[in-house]
Amino acid sequence: MRGPIVSYGTDRVTRFPFFKIFITVQSNLSTMASQIPSLVELVLEASSLYKQTFPGETPQIAACAPGRVNLIGEHTDYNQGYVLPMALPLVTVVVGSPSPGDDAIIVTATGHADEPRRVNFSLPNKGSTLSPGVPYWANYVKGVIHHYRAQPLPGFKAVVVSSVPLGGGLSSSASLEVAFYTFLQQLRPDDGDKILKAVACQQAEHTHAGVPCGIMDQFVSVLGKEGHALLIDCRSLETIPVPLADPDLVILITNSNVKHSLASSEYAVRRRQCEKAASILGKDSLRDATLKDLEGFRDELDDVIYRRARHVIEENHRTVKAAEFLKRGAYHEFGQLMLESHNSLRDLYEVSCKDLDCLVSAAMEVNGVFGSRMTGGGFGGCTVTLLKAHVIDRTIQHIQERYHGTPTFFVTTPSEGARDLQLS
Ligand code: ADP
Ligand code: MG
């Protein structure tokens, strides 16, 4: 028996049978890493939950958006600096249909979101606004609706599934926002401007989830390019795709599966410290500051502010240099910068923790590993490691032996940004 067609992008169409099959988008390089569910599997899961939740109905539209990993350039985005992330094969999928009236009904499949997992609210129209509330997870979606750039929206029903781990530093939040925005674009098209789309999703996180994040996560989730990392200038919002598709190279993500409660409060503290440093240096942001400027104000800065600013200024340089190295295939040099970045985040910016330090030093002990560092905001979450493909399982095994916790591993490739999925 033949099943429905799911197509993604314009060029790939897969016909799959009704019985469950496992197509993995990750390379089969490792027997020890977690399996990453394919897009087809996620769409099937979402469609089946939709049919179960709304008996007699089938979803008509679908969209997806990826999580991301940042290869280098940490805590630079909100300082108007440079970042070098890539989109992941871990994605959030939204399926749904328009429905009569002004209500939105949204269900998330994940058991890791706060309860209830089904929400029902009136869409904002005629001047009314959509305020944040409970459950907390729905605020990300409400924020996207609030900032959506073509109003009013028709009523709709939607189901969300995701393979991005929640709260793990791989930006499940941006992938949820961007997937949802992409879904809304099919319900009522906006002008299709991708940069304004990313900015609207960032605003959603600020105003409705209460997270004052930079632009990186939403940007790469919208604009990610298969086989490429993305050098983003967070001031001009210009991007340069950097090829990263060497079959002998692997990008390993290790989730420490720890998240220290300090993460969000310390993030806000770091932002304030950077603003203070920029203002003492007489700059709009630390992006404009040089090491020479910093040394010139050494006596007017307390030690903590000095070290925060030094991390940001040096990390910006490292990121631009790293993109050059990657372009040339200079992986040793790239890896060295990853390690310097980690050490700076540990010693100057003080956002690492013992778990992340242990994962990085364990990875660096394996022959064939080029570089490793914490990635994301810090205080837990993930590390990213660049290594030769043939040492992947040896590396995973070594990390497991050295790390006291229960890490999970993803072998990843740079993937495409948000896109519509055609269901039929
Ligand atoms: P990260 O973005 O690194 O995964 P965050 O703390 O920024 O971590 O965002 C995680 C939060 O985003 C979750 O606690 C939840 O509220 C929301 N979220 C993300 N993905 C989903 C999803 N698929 N369903 C419901 N909520 C989600
Ligand atoms: Mg997030």
Side-chain angles (χ1 to χ4, degrees), residues 68 140 167 169-174 177 205 211 213 217-218:
R68 61 95 190 97
Y140 292 87
L170 301 179
S171 212
S172 67
S173 58
E177 291 147 11
E205 190 146 341
V211 180
C213 58
D217 300 356
Q218 292 79 8

Side-chain angles (χ1 to χ4, degrees), residues 67-89:
R68 61 95 190 97
V69 67
N70 191 20
L71 298 173
I72 195 162
E74 214 64 76
H75 288 278
T76 46
D77 64 344
Y78 54 82
N79 287 297
Q80 313 265 299
Y82 294 96
V83 291
L84 186 66
M86 64 176 221
L88 291 173

Side-chain angles (χ1 to χ4, degrees), residues 86-210:
M86 64 176 221
L88 291 173
L90 299 160
V91 294
T92 298
V93 167
V94 181
V95 304
S97 297
S99 62
D102 286 331
D103 282 357
I105 304 177
I106 305 160
V107 176
T108 179
T110 177
H112 297 285
D114 51 328
E115 297 284 344
R117 284 192 252 152
R118 173 180 171 142
V119 291
N120 188 350
F121 53 85
S122 296
L123 291 163
N125 55 26
K126 301 190 189 85
S128 70
T129 55
L130 202 51
S131 306
V134 285
Y136 177 72
W137 70 265
N139 292 334
Y140 292 87
V141 176
K142 287 180 180 170
V144 171
I145 294 170
H146 177 86
H147 291 281
Y148 188 66
R149 298 175 50 257
Q151 302 279 355
L153 285 160
F156 66 86
K157 294 172 181 164
V159 164
V160 179
V161 304
S162 187
S163 56
V164 190
L166 268 63
L170 301 179
S171 212
S172 67
S173 58
S175 77
L176 173 61
E177 291 147 11
V178 174
F180 217 86
Y181 196 105
T182 311
F183 171 82
L184 296 181
Q185 284 176 303
Q186 290 183 67
L187 268 185
R188 180 178 172 167
D190 66 354
D191 61 10
D193 187 306
K194 290 190 171 183
I195 291 180
L196 294 177
K197 173 177 173 175
V199 171
C201 291
Q202 180 200 21
Q203 285 303 310
E205 190 146 341
H206 287 190
T207 59
H208 283 66

